[in-house]
Amino acid sequence: MGADLPIGQQSIPELGDPPADATVLRMLLGAQLRRLREGVGVSPEKAGYEIRASRSKISRMETGRVGFKARDIEDLLTLYGVADGQQRTEILALARKSNLPDWWARYSDILPDWFETYLGLESAAISIRSFEVQFVPGLFQIEDYARAVTRLGHRTASADEIERRVGLRMRRQSLLTRAAPPHVWAVMDEAVLRRPLGNAAVLRAQLRRLTEAAQLPDVTLQVVPFARGGHAGASGAFSILRFEEQDLPDVVYIEQLTSALYLDQRSDVEHYLEVADQLSGEALTPDETTAFIEQVAREI
Amino acid sequence: MATDEAAVRDGGTADQGEPPAFDTSVAHQARVYDYLLGGKDNYAADRAAAESWLQVNPDTVFTARANRAFLGRAVRFLAAEAGIRQFLDIGTGIPTAGNTHHVAQSVAPAARVVYVDYDPVVLAHARALLTSRGAGKTNYIHADLRDTATILGKAQELLDFTQPVAITLIAILHAIPDSDNPHAIVARLLDSVPSGSYLAVSHMGSDLIPPQTLQEMRAIGSRMSQQQYSHRTGEEVTRFFDGTDLVEPGLVRVEEWRPEPGSSDTRKSFIWSAVGRKR
């Protein structure tokens, strides 16, 4: 599948496979801790007290948002009545593995914590559904387009920093060409295709990249044309990340100016799932979308 | 048996051909099925209904999975042994692993599949996901099974009705009450395809469920679900195959239809199944 991508956007072999596992391991371990806690009827407050932390720390641990300290896990397992030596050893080994650094650790100076969380979820997901109102989804941006987007958000950044940020974005795209890529299903408002980031030539190249990406077996692109009038996506851009494990809930990601929202309560997620389902029903089909993007590219 | 007055609410014959509006506040068969198969494309109302059915009939999960597995084996048989290259899959449901075109095109890459469903959630997923990029082709029609004119008209854009077609009606006919004459619907579909075509059906069996359980299942359906279910006897299901010859082993529970060698599960589903070849 790598051959389908232009040179320069293929995966960078020396960095190795994205270790998607760390995030998933944290989430699985968190889910297991939650089940153990609920099984013995211990409140999050009490569990937090036991490890000298807050209720919200327990919540972050149980959703896999933070790393685990061996001592915390030991204390929690004792509180939850897990006396079996083998089970304790297994859980602790899982905790150690889940704390290995992710590939983006080298970018941590330019990455806010909330975006590191997203990268972990993104590389662990089996499907990524998104709705975009302004920009081409990051996973499909070409360098020049990404540079223009990055400059918008970091007006005072040095040229070096901009290049590192663009480099990070390109590095993320390697998940499209890894052995078992996630299904990336993006719905874009027509405005995304028409807003000239960089210049007209950059936008044309970007649109060409979109039509190429649409041919990848695990990529589904749809556009909601202006002509369809108002649509279900009035809420703005969002992503829904899905994980293979039955235990793990879908996570909705909404980026804000200085932070991000992660929703994983089923009732919240369902709202976005419904909007995504409606948008996909209202949007052009994938085949119509490719023709539409080509048409827009000719008009620029 | 299938005199469900509530069927009128579901479209019935009154506004035939008008697929239901996007509404996730009431359970819908496709999404309940997705939940029972372990999928995540379902909503609170779907899960509530599924859980209620599970309470009165714990075999429901096994049954849903056995039904899905039957689809896979039947399509494989049709493509590999019967040499079928065109499929009309009505009642597609939310795409998951092993959809009809995946199975058919793994045997015959040029196989063509037309999918039909009327759930708007299925529409969103099917248009995006049920695509093939190789030699084979797929198409999706958003229509109600009762609207055979629309289905047959649009299906002919991709399928050649002078050549054999396999019509698959997997776990959908029990959503059509007797008042909408499901046997006539199936006859119209079979009439439009040539001799040597095939029909594959699975259908919840009223004679495979204890009467008390059946009553409770129906009560849940009329309270919580968009579709009202008309469970039918093996004999009534067999009548869908008028004008065809059933292939071995005839009408059996879904898990008993040409099982994979070595399958040793002793649980029983409550869905009848058969495959017939048009004379």
Side-chain angles (χ1 to χ4, degrees):
Chain A
M1 195 172 75
D4 293 323
L5 281 178
I7 306 229
Q9 292 181 36
Q10 292 170 357
S11 57
I12 305 164
E14 64 267 28
L15 291 177
D17 291 333
D21 297 336
T23 302
V24 166
L25 289 178
R26 279 198 295 276
M27 294 168 75
L28 284 172
L29 180 54
Q32 197 168 356
L33 288 173
R34 192 195 63 239
R35 271 196 307 276
L36 288 169
R37 179 177 60 72
E38 289 173 352
V40 291
V42 170
S43 70
E45 287 82 0
K46 182 159 175 10
Y49 179 79
E50 187 69 19
I51 59 164
R52 306 147 296 274
S54 62
R55 172 203 169 91
S56 73
K57 168 79 178 286
I58 293 294
S59 159
R60 287 199 301 278
M61 287 174 76
E62 291 183 354
T63 49
R65 302 279 186 276
V66 289
F68 300 99
K69 289 199 192 78
R71 182 180 161 202
D72 291 347
I73 303 278
E74 294 260 18
D75 292 348
L76 287 176
L77 292 177
T78 305
L79 178 67
Y80 301 159
V82 179
D84 174 10
Q86 174 149 7
Q87 197 185 355
R88 290 180 73 103
T89 310
E90 281 172 9
I91 292 178
L92 282 163
L94 193 60
R96 259 195 312 281
K97 270 165 80 181
S98 75
N99 284 339
L100 295 175
D102 293 301
W103 64 261
W104 50 86
R106 71 183 61 194
Y107 293 99
S108 56
D109 57 324
I110 54 167
L111 276 179
D113 290 348
W114 52 265
F115 197 66
E116 287 198 52
T117 303
Y118 180 75
L119 293 177
L121 296 174
E122 179 183 76
S123 63
I126 55 157
S127 100
I128 303 170
R129 283 179 84 174
S130 64
F131 174 59
E132 299 287 347
V133 287
Q134 182 163 205
F135 302 125
V136 165
L139 289 173
F140 305 117
Q141 289 179 8
I142 59 172
E143 277 195 53
D144 286 344
Y145 185 96
R147 197 169 286 118
V149 174
T150 306
R151 284 205 187 104
L152 277 180
H154 303 276
R155 289 178 193 279
T156 58
S158 69
D160 268 8
E161 186 188 326
I162 296 283
E163 287 317 301
R164 287 193 69 214
R165 289 182 184 278
V166 171
L168 168 66
R169 182 148 297 190
M170 295 302 120
R171 178 71 185 81
R172 274 170 66 199
Q173 298 179 353
S174 68
L175 75 82
L176 294 174
T177 50
R178 74 181 187 208
H183 177 228
V184 180
W185 180 2
V187 178
M188 293 167 279
D189 190 276
E190 182 178 342
V192 169
L193 307 180
R194 300 215 177 253
R195 188 175 295 281
L197 271 290
N199 55 46
V202 169
L203 183 58
R204 264 196 301 274
Q206 178 61 67
L207 295 183
R208 206 159 42 241
R209 164 70 188 137
L210 276 180
T211 55
E212 287 164 11
Q215 301 308 311
L216 295 173
D218 294 292
V219 170
T220 304
L221 298 182
Q222 293 185 277
V223 167
V224 191
F226 293 147
R228 296 267 156 112
H231 53 65
S235 55
F238 62 89
S239 303
I240 306 174
L241 303 166
R242 178 164 294 178
F243 309 94
E244 183 146 35
E245 292 71 15
Q246 191 71 45
D247 262 7
L248 302 182
D250 290 353
V251 174
V252 173
Y253 169 78
I254 301 163
E255 201 170 310
Q256 300 171 332
L257 264 187
T258 56
S259 66
L261 265 181
Y262 293 94
L263 308 174
D264 62 4
Q265 292 297 315
R266 188 70 209 187
S267 50
D268 293 328
V269 171
E270 227 146 80
H271 248 81
Y272 285 88
L273 211 52
E274 188 166 342
V275 170
D277 281 347
Q278 279 184 278
L279 278 167
S280 295
E282 290 165 358
L284 300 174
T285 66
D287 285 350
E288 291 165 350
T289 293
T290 302
F292 189 83
I293 295 174
E294 285 165 356
Q295 175 63 34
V296 172
R298 280 194 294 273
E299 289 168 18
I300 292 166
Chain B
M1 135 169 341
T3 50
D4 296 299
E5 20 340 65
V8 174
R9 205 181 62 191
D10 183 34
T13 42
D15 53 344
Q16 160 170 328
E18 212 29 58
F22 199 103
D23 178 7
T24 56
S25 68
V26 185
H28 187 287
Q29 184 183 1
R31 280 137 30 192
V32 170
Y33 189 50
D34 174 77
Y35 177 68
L36 293 172
L37 293 179
K40 297 179 182 177
D41 286 305
N42 45 74
Y43 293 86
D46 307 311
R47 293 190 295 280
E51 290 296 338
S52 302
W53 273 309
L54 272 172
Q55 274 184 4
V56 301
N57 195 341
D59 294 333
T60 303
V61 166
F62 170 75
T63 294
R65 293 176 187 192
N67 179 68
R68 183 73 189 173
F70 163 72
L71 165 71
R73 295 197 308 280
V75 171
R76 182 165 296 281
F77 162 81
L78 291 164
E81 294 183 45
I84 293 292
R85 296 293 176 265
Q86 309 190 91
F87 293 82
L88 180 55
D89 174 331
I90 308 176
T92 300
I94 292 169
T96 172
N99 298 300
T100 297
H101 77 284
H102 295 134
V103 179
Q105 291 173 356
S106 73
V107 175
R112 298 182 160 210
V113 179
V114 170
Y115 289 106
V116 183
D117 206 298
Y118 77 163
D119 176 22
V121 175
V122 173
L123 166 78
H125 289 255
R127 288 203 316 177
L129 307 185
L130 297 177
T131 56
S132 42
R133 290 186 164 87
K137 288 201 158 42
T138 59
N139 213 344
Y140 178 75
I141 301 172
H142 192 52
D144 189 314
L145 168 58
R146 284 163 278 236
D147 186 5
T148 48
T150 297
I151 292 172
L152 292 168
K154 290 194 181 160
Q156 295 189 48
E157 291 171 13
L158 188 65
L159 306 182
D160 174 0
F161 275 38
T162 66
Q163 297 297 314
V165 176
I167 300 167
T168 62
L169 294 162
I170 307 301
I172 178 175
L173 286 166
H174 48 231
I176 309 288
D178 286 351
S179 53
D180 285 343
N181 203 349
H183 289 90
I185 291 172
V186 174
R188 282 203 295 282
L189 294 171
L190 273 177
D191 278 349
S192 65
V193 295
S195 166
S197 292
Y198 281 82
L199 172 69
V201 167
S202 71
H203 195 297
M204 287 201 276
S206 55
D207 45 357
L208 299 179
I209 303 169
Q212 174 65 27
T213 308
L214 183 60
Q215 207 174 356
E216 288 168 6
M217 287 169 73
R218 284 194 171 152
I220 293 164
S222 54
R223 199 170 68 243
M224 303 180 82
S225 169
Q226 275 184 45
Q227 287 82 15
Q228 308 308 313
Y229 298 109
S230 304
H231 303 71
R232 295 189 172 88
T233 63
E235 190 195 338
E236 288 171 298
V237 175
T238 304
R239 276 208 292 119
F240 287 120
F241 290 90
D242 282 357
T244 75
D245 297 312
L246 293 190
V247 303
E248 287 298 317
L251 183 85
V252 290
R253 294 176 199 252
V254 277
E255 69 277 17
E256 295 163 348
W257 196 91
R258 299 183 180 227
E260 300 288 347
S263 53
S264 56
D265 204 316
T266 54
R267 285 176 292 182
K268 298 264 182 239
S269 77
F270 47 85
I271 299 193
W272 287 118
S273 64
V275 175
R277 182 179 191 275
K278 186 177 172 181
R279 287 180 205 123

